[in-house]
Amino acid sequence: MLKAKTKKAIQVMLCLIFLLTTVFVSSPGKAEAIGVNRMFPDPQNPNKYYFVGMVYYDTWSNAAGQWTTTKPPGSVTDVDGFDYMFEFNSSRKIKDVRVSKFDYNRQYGDEIFEASRSVEMALNPKSYYVRATSPTYSFTGRQWTGKGTNVANVPVYVTQGLLSALEPVNRKKEEEDKGQKFDPLVEGWRFYFPTLFEIELEPAEGNAIIKHYTTTGKSLSSVPGFTDREEKLEKDKRYAFTHTPGNADYIYKGHKKSTVSAPSGGTTSPGDPSVFTYDGSFPTYYLYFYYEAKTDPPPPPTNSCTPPAPGAKVNGRYMDPVVTAKILADQRGNEKFDVLQGIPTSESLYGNILARSFLVQNTFVQMSGTCTFEVNVEKTWTLHWDPGKPGPNGPDGKPTTVPDPQQAEEVVRERYTVQRPYSYWVIDNLEVYQINQGLLRNYALPGEQISIYPQGYQAPQFTANQTGAFYPPTPPDPIVAPAGSYGGSAYKSKPSPPSENLQSVAEAGVEKVQVTNDSLNFNGATIMNGSRVAETGPTPGSIPEPSQIDENVLYRPGNMISSSKVNRANTTSAGTIFYGLMPGNINGGSDKEFPIYGINTVTVHTPVVNYSSVTDDRAHNQKTNPNYNRAAFILGYRQHFNDNIR
């Protein structure tokens, strides 16, 4: 058995070891670039974003109440810092970055903090950080880099931080709530030093490239009446491009457009392209107009259609992977060790990630317009009259008149205006992402990280076709109204056809505009129907919310802890899940990666076993009733005289 004094010394030593491993100055560390999903966009300036960095300082006293490795509360000290990296879409360029102390009460303060610190907000209320924030600190660091690019590197270091707050975090109590034991004089406090980053971007710009070709692919740039050109696109500005009339030797047939690359292959779309508002999501808008050579002059136009303009929208967005992960001892469901308490080297771990089976976002836009037809309506009238003719003389010898009925046909032609509305739905944006892999990091893992690739994983199946278009009818020329009859014997001369409004005949003679939506089938369900219908395309449905993957999809067991690893307590875990943009996207998108938060820690601990024994000193056992089933362990003896025995 250990003596009480020796046991106490070991306890003090272990407490000191714990303190030395928990006294630290903390910041998020240099990690992956911060994307716009963690920034708050300024509602009044589309080119400005905000982010809050949360550096903190932990200070501890030892078991003797001494602040030996850190400063005590009330002191001023240099805190910490690191290089922050901010990344935007490749088409956006960074103009300026400004750094200042974060004021929780500033305009949009709540929104900025919640967007930047969503992980912390899931653990504690905002007041937890507000009350533990120091009122006094300053910044120093090197000049930020990346101006004119889409990635900024901003070195920021918190200096001269005052270790004072309304209510600093009691780290000792937090650890005691987790079961940790401390000596009475130990203290632990945390102070926060939030940093506000204000990132300003250059206004988004792009180019429209407009060219003219024959339907056989021959350029018309050198033909009079056709001029190829480039036009600057400004963000949030509406654009309506229409085809060039050209000259009398060519007939306009349609157009092709793309925001990815120059159009090639495929069929032309009739009419002019849809009106759109440039949102800066693509750098180049390609628009090619196509014409067919003719030999005879075309007939005068009898109809015209307004370009389709955007209206109602249907949006869908499931871009949060809802991801969780764990790193535990093999085998899953029958774990041999509680890794939070300890797991020896040469044992194995498994990694398991759960997340949405896919990510998707879409925007469907209803395009509407009106076609106006100038049509001729023709009606044939049979006119009747009776001028009479001389007959035989009457009894009185006077001349008489007898009936002489007459009739003739006369065709009347009138021009009428008929309007036909149309509307159809197009896919303005479609991005579908499948799981590519997961990555888990921890000290205990082989190489301190493992990649997990999907097993038995079924990516979403979808087919999208940009078939949205409208098809004006070709009314007959002329439209023939039912024949009529007019006149009679009362008319002595040929009457004129009566005046008549034949608008109803014109309306009946012009069919409705035919339309087709873009088509989209997703996992066997029809989301947008591309069938040809009259006047109005059916309203699209919604892409269903992604389900969670099965627990075996991102699962990797058998990751042995190297026997060369030393014991280490509460090693932190991190992870990333990667989603890849699937082929068939429309207007934008790129591969995504998301951090995995809340993964459990792992304690690597290989226990030491001591098989102790003692010799049986039975000959010197002075007990009156010795137990011979136990070894006698004699610490020492002293002879007593009888008068000292009590």
Side-chain angles (χ1 to χ4, degrees):
M1 298 177 63
L2 294 173
K3 291 183 180 180
K5 186 174 181 180
T6 303
K7 182 177 181 181
K8 178 65 176 179
I10 293 175
Q11 290 175 337
V12 172
M13 180 180 68
L14 290 175
C15 181
L16 288 172
I17 291 173
F18 171 78
L19 290 176
L20 290 174
T21 60
T22 57
V23 173
F24 58 94
V25 177
S26 177
S27 70
K30 186 167 184 177
E32 299 169 353
I34 298 166
V36 293
N37 61 317
R38 290 188 62 196
M39 303 181 207
F40 176 73
D42 191 323
Q44 300 177 5
N45 187 344
N47 298 318
K48 187 174 289 187
Y49 291 81
Y50 300 96
F51 176 80
V52 178
M54 287 294 285
V55 175
Y56 62 83
Y57 186 96
D58 278 8
T59 180
W60 289 86
S61 68
N62 61 21
Q66 299 171 328
W67 307 85
T68 57
T69 58
T70 56
K71 297 289 185 70
S75 302
V76 175
T77 182
D78 288 345
V79 182
D80 196 11
F82 70 111
D83 291 2
Y84 288 81
M85 184 181 293
F86 301 95
E87 183 174 10
F88 293 85
N89 182 289
S90 59
S91 64
R92 301 307 307 270
K93 308 303 179 188
I94 298 171
K95 179 180 180 181
D96 194 15
V97 179
R98 291 177 286 277
V99 179
S100 62
K101 291 168 59 176
F102 177 66
D103 181 0
Y104 293 96
N105 297 317
R106 63 158 287 145
Q107 186 181 26
Y108 308 121
D110 288 344
E111 293 84 351
I112 296 171
F113 189 81
E114 291 173 7
S116 306
R117 317 311 309 180
S118 58
V119 175
E120 289 88 339
M121 292 292 287
L123 300 175
N124 298 297
K126 179 185 170 186
S127 59
Y128 174 93
Y129 304 97
V130 175
R131 298 184 66 81
T133 292
S134 171
T136 304
Y137 52 100
S138 57
F139 304 101
T140 185
R142 301 183 301 274
Q143 178 66 33
W144 69 277
T145 59
K147 185 173 183 178
T149 73
N150 68 317
V151 179
N153 191 71
V154 188
V156 174
Y157 296 86
V158 178
T159 60
Q160 298 300 300
L162 175 62
L163 302 183
S164 175
L166 290 175
E167 189 177 330
V169 178
N170 190 334
R171 292 287 295 117
K172 176 181 177 181
K173 184 178 183 303
E174 287 186 341
E175 293 299 327
E176 286 178 337
D177 290 343
K178 298 176 184 178
Q180 181 64 48
K181 302 297 184 182
F182 294 93
D183 279 356
L185 295 181
V186 171
E187 293 184 46
W189 303 98
R190 174 173 292 176
F191 301 88
Y192 284 96
F193 302 85
T195 308
L196 176 65
F197 295 85
E198 183 178 346
I199 305 107
E200 185 176 0
L201 306 180
E202 298 284 356
E205 295 181 351
N207 289 317
I209 298 177
I210 302 170
K211 296 184 177 183
H212 304 81
Y213 294 91
T214 67
T215 53
T216 60
K218 181 181 178 181
S219 173
L220 293 171
S221 60
S222 60
V223 177
F226 300 94
T227 302
D228 295 346
R229 70 185 192 276
E230 288 190 21
E231 185 171 331
K232 180 179 178 181
L233 300 177
E234 298 179 9
K235 191 173 185 295
D236 299 325
K237 184 176 179 180
R238 286 169 60 87
Y239 292 89
F241 294 104
T242 57
H243 69 277
T244 300
N247 60 45
D249 296 327
Y250 293 88
I251 301 173
Y252 176 64
K253 302 303 292 183
H255 69 276
K256 296 178 183 178
K257 64 180 181 178
S258 174
T259 59
V260 179
S261 60
S264 62
T267 59
T268 58
S269 298
D272 290 321
S274 306
V275 177
F276 70 97
T277 299
Y278 181 60
D279 61 4
S281 62
F282 53 87
T284 306
Y285 177 76
Y286 298 91
L287 177 59
Y288 291 179
F289 293 113
Y290 292 86
Y291 299 78
E292 187 174 80
K294 63 180 181 180
T295 55
D296 298 322
T302 58
N303 66 76
S304 63
C305 297
T306 61
K313 291 185 178 182
V314 173
N315 295 306
R317 181 179 174 86
Y318 295 103
M319 292 299 292
D320 182 352
V322 191
V323 59
T324 60
K326 56 187 177 182
I327 303 172
L328 299 176
D330 282 329
Q331 291 289 330
R332 187 178 63 192
N334 188 27
E335 290 81 357
K336 294 170 59 179
F337 299 92
D338 180 354
V339 298
L340 299 178
Q341 299 297 320
I343 181 171
T345 59
S346 300
E347 295 292 342
S348 63
L349 300 163
Y350 71 83
N352 208 170
I353 301 174
L354 293 177
R356 276 178 167 159
S357 55
F358 62 89
L359 302 179
V360 63
Q361 67 177 9
N362 64 270
T363 300
F364 304 146
V365 180
Q366 188 179 40
M367 309 301 295
S368 303
T370 302
C371 291
T372 302
F373 301 87
E374 297 290 335
V375 296
N376 297 314
V377 179
E378 182 179 284
K379 183 169 183 174
T380 300
W381 288 96
T382 300
L383 302 175
H384 300 271
W385 72 98
D386 190 349
K389 64 180 179 178
N393 291 332
D396 58 0
K398 294 181 178 180
T400 61
T401 300
V402 297
D404 185 19
Q406 305 288 320
Q407 71 175 41
E409 290 187 347
E410 187 170 325
V411 177
V412 176
R413 295 180 179 87
E414 296 287 345
R415 195 166 183 84
Y416 292 90
T417 299
V418 176
Q419 290 190 330
R420 289 286 181 262
Y422 67 87
S423 66
Y424 59 92
W425 290 84
V426 298
I427 303 172
D428 186 62
N429 171 249
L430 177 64
E431 301 172 29
V432 184
Y433 299 86
Q434 65 182 355
I435 296 176
N436 281 351
Q437 65 166 315
L439 185 69
L440 295 180
R441 307 178 187 89
N442 186 276
Y443 165 76
L445 294 171
E448 299 193 7
Q449 71 176 33
I450 58 171
S451 295
I452 307 178
Y453 295 95
Q455 301 292 326
Y457 170 65
Q458 179 63 53
Q461 305 293 315
F462 71 97
T463 303
N465 291 299
Q466 293 181 283
T467 54
F470 68 97
Y471 306 90
T474 303
D477 187 28
I479 297 172
V480 179
S485 178
Y486 183 73
S489 59
Y491 289 89
K492 299 305 180 182
S493 62
K494 179 183 176 183
S496 297
S499 177
E500 184 180 16
N501 188 343
L502 297 177
Q503 182 70 41
S504 61
V505 177
E507 295 285 346
V510 180
E511 296 179 349
K512 293 182 177 181
V513 178
Q514 297 287 307
V515 296
T516 55
N517 289 343
D518 285 354
S519 64
L520 175 60
N521 289 284
F522 198 96
N523 282 343
T526 299
I527 307 300
M528 187 180 290
N529 191 333
S531 300
R532 189 161 173 163
V533 296
E535 191 171 302
T536 303
T539 302
S542 300
I543 297 175
E545 179 178 357
S547 61
Q548 288 286 105
I549 59 174
D550 180 81
E551 65 176 359
N552 292 322
V553 172
L554 292 176
Y555 171 60
R556 179 175 171 179
N559 303 287
M560 182 174 292
I561 305 172
S562 172
S563 59
S564 63
K565 290 186 182 291
V566 298
N567 290 350
R568 188 171 295 180
N570 302 319
T571 59
T572 58
S573 302
T576 306
I577 188 167
F578 299 85
Y579 285 83
L581 181 66
M582 298 186 66
N585 71 90
I586 295 175
N587 291 339
S590 60
D591 292 352
K592 307 292 183 185
E593 56 185 77
F594 302 89
I596 306 174
Y597 298 109
I599 308 174
N600 61 277
T601 60
V602 177
T603 293
V604 177
H605 178 70
T606 303
V608 177
V609 180
N610 182 6
Y611 297 99
S612 302
S613 66
V614 297
T615 58
D616 188 358
D617 196 2
R618 182 177 298 182
H620 297 96
N621 190 340
Q622 298 180 26
K623 287 188 176 183
T624 56
N625 293 304
N627 185 348
Y628 293 111
N629 292 321
R630 295 183 178 179
F633 187 60
I634 309 303
L635 298 178
Y637 68 91
R638 182 175 61 184
Q639 186 174 0
H640 295 271
F641 293 98
N642 291 335
D643 57 356
N644 290 329
I645 297 176
R646 299 179 181 177

